[in-house]
Amino acid sequence: MEGVSTRGVLSHLSLLEDQASSRGSRVLQQPSRVKELRAKVEALTSQRDQLKAEIQTHKNLQKLRPSVDKRRAAGGEEDMDVDSESSELLRLMARHSELSDLLHAHHLIGGYDVIKTRQGKGMCFSLATAYEGVYLDTYNLEIDLRPKVRITRHNIPPFIPLNNLAEQSDLQTGLRAFLDTVSQHLNAFAGRKQQLKLVKEQHKSVEVMESNLLCSILVLMFTVPKEKTPLLCTLEYTDHTRCLPTRVHLDSEDKRLPDAPQWKKNCSLLTEVPVHRALTAIRKSRDIV
């Protein structure tokens, strides 16, 4: 990958030099353009030199690794001269390993996987979702950095208010806050969706009557022991950054049932515990079959 990047920089550098030479007749008429091209050539040259140095260091590390492994196996690591080139390369290898571990840890505690796009003018972020320790869907969001920060492409569900979230966070100064908010919405959606799946898998006697794409409305029908009429339970998730409902409503032809103390307690439980777990507790108390 580094070799390909270097060739790309060199090719672009050669192209700029050819363009600059072909415009020799217009140099006096376009001094600002010439100045801009020279600055770009200098920047690309610096980038090329940096890439060359990184490639050379990588090659040296690859050459050194077998000999280092042999010395470690023979117990000769302590005899190495700390001022030698080999010792310096070993230090670089250790530093590289340390940085890799830090990046991995950053990802585990909430960092984002990111790659450069459009020759460094943009970045593509991967936003992973998970629920109860299970990784679910991963979404991608590409953002241009120049001339200003803006969203270009993504595969985030359309019911996530991406543009509104961008305006609220101000992409120019609050990119990390924006990513955190989007991730919060996506993980909440993934959690509600996963809960619905678990309800269908774990509670066969509970019938799912209605749900929407955002999983912000869920209507369940319970079978209550010793009752002739079913009980409808509507869960409303008005806060789309959470996995728990903000309102629970019961409906039955038997008007006394929703107002019963036990069912008021069950409604409170449904707002405090994920629905599939709450249903397990309600079933254990024999309020539903």
Side-chain angles (χ1 to χ4, degrees), residues 201-248:
E201 292 176 352
Q202 299 176 5
H203 302 279
K204 302 297 184 181
S205 64
V206 175
E207 186 175 352
V208 178
M209 303 298 293
E210 181 183 349
S211 64
N212 59 0
L213 288 176
L214 187 55
C215 294
S216 59
I217 296 290
L218 181 59
V219 181
L220 306 174
M221 185 169 70
F222 301 146
T223 300
V224 181
K226 300 181 181 180
E227 295 292 338
K228 296 181 180 180
T229 60
L231 178 64
L232 286 179
C233 176
T234 302
L235 307 177
E236 298 180 8
Y237 301 79
T238 56
D239 186 351
H240 296 165
T241 64
R242 301 181 65 227
C243 294
L244 296 176
T246 51
R247 181 175 180 269
V248 178

Side-chain angles (χ1 to χ4, degrees), residues 35-51:
K35 184 177 180 180
E36 178 184 349
L37 287 173
R38 286 177 177 172
K40 186 173 292 187
V41 168
E42 291 177 359
L44 288 170
T45 301
S46 176
Q47 185 180 359
R48 178 199 62 188
D49 295 338
Q50 182 180 359
L51 288 171

Side-chain angles (χ1 to χ4, degrees), residues 37-280:
L37 287 173
R38 286 177 177 172
K40 186 173 292 187
V41 168
E42 291 177 359
L44 288 170
T45 301
S46 176
Q47 185 180 359
R48 178 199 62 188
D49 295 338
Q50 182 180 359
L51 288 171
K52 283 184 175 180
E54 291 175 357
I55 291 173
Q56 188 59 45
T57 300
H58 177 74
K59 290 180 178 179
N60 290 338
L61 289 173
Q62 293 299 110
K63 291 179 180 179
L64 179 64
R65 189 180 298 275
S67 61
V68 170
D69 292 340
K70 289 181 180 179
R71 292 191 184 189
R72 285 179 176 174
E77 184 176 352
E78 296 180 355
D79 298 332
M80 295 179 65
D81 183 3
V82 294
D83 296 325
S84 67
E85 181 181 359
S86 296
S87 180
E88 176 65 15
L89 289 174
L90 276 176
R91 187 188 66 80
L92 290 175
M93 290 171 63
R95 180 58 176 164
H96 178 269
S97 177
E98 179 184 358
L99 290 175
S100 297
D101 292 341
L102 286 174
L103 286 172
H104 180 62
H106 177 64
H107 177 65
L108 291 178
I109 64 175
Y112 303 102
D113 286 337
V114 58
I115 59 173
K116 290 183 179 180
T117 59
R118 300 181 61 246
Q119 298 181 344
K121 294 181 180 180
M123 305 189 80
C124 184
F125 296 89
S126 294
L127 308 178
T129 60
Y131 182 73
E132 293 186 339
V134 177
Y135 278 101
L136 302 171
D137 297 321
T138 297
Y139 300 92
N140 298 303
L141 175 65
E142 187 174 1
I143 293 179
D144 271 356
L145 302 178
R146 289 178 281 177
K148 68 175 184 179
V149 181
R150 65 184 183 90
I151 300 170
T152 53
R153 296 182 297 176
H154 66 85
N155 65 342
I156 293 175
F159 44 76
I160 302 294
L162 201 59
N163 291 330
N164 291 341
L165 297 178
E167 292 178 2
Q168 293 172 9
S169 301
D170 187 5
L171 284 183
Q172 310 307 313
T173 57
L175 180 58
R176 179 57 189 266
F178 166 70
L179 292 173
D180 288 345
T181 303
V182 174
S183 180
Q184 190 176 19
H185 276 261
L186 289 172
N187 276 280
F189 162 65
R192 296 192 300 269
K193 184 179 177 182
Q194 184 70 359
Q195 286 181 34
L196 176 58
K197 178 183 177 183
L198 293 173
V199 167
K200 293 178 179 179
E201 292 176 352
Q202 299 176 5
H203 302 279
K204 302 297 184 181
S205 64
V206 175
E207 186 175 352
V208 178
M209 303 298 293
E210 181 183 349
S211 64
N212 59 0
L213 288 176
L214 187 55
C215 294
S216 59
I217 296 290
L218 181 59
V219 181
L220 306 174
M221 185 169 70
F222 301 146
T223 300
V224 181
K226 300 181 181 180
E227 295 292 338
K228 296 181 180 180
T229 60
L231 178 64
L232 286 179
C233 176
T234 302
L235 307 177
E236 298 180 8
Y237 301 79
T238 56
D239 186 351
H240 296 165
T241 64
R242 301 181 65 227
C243 294
L244 296 176
T246 51
R247 181 175 180 269
V248 178
H249 176 70
L250 299 177
D251 189 19
S252 173
E253 291 183 2
D254 184 352
K255 301 302 180 183
R256 298 172 300 174
L257 193 59
D259 294 328
Q262 184 61 30
W263 275 104
K264 287 184 177 181
K265 179 181 177 181
N266 290 336
C267 287
S268 297
L269 180 66
L270 286 164
T271 62
E272 299 169 356
V273 179
V275 59
H276 61 289
R277 293 184 182 178
L279 292 180
T280 299

Side-chain angles (χ1 to χ4, degrees), residues 1-12 47 51 55 119:
M1 290 294 294
E2 294 165 333
V4 173
S5 300
T6 304
R7 290 195 296 272
V9 171
L10 292 174
S11 299
H12 192 41
Q47 185 180 359
L51 288 171
I55 291 173
Q119 298 181 344

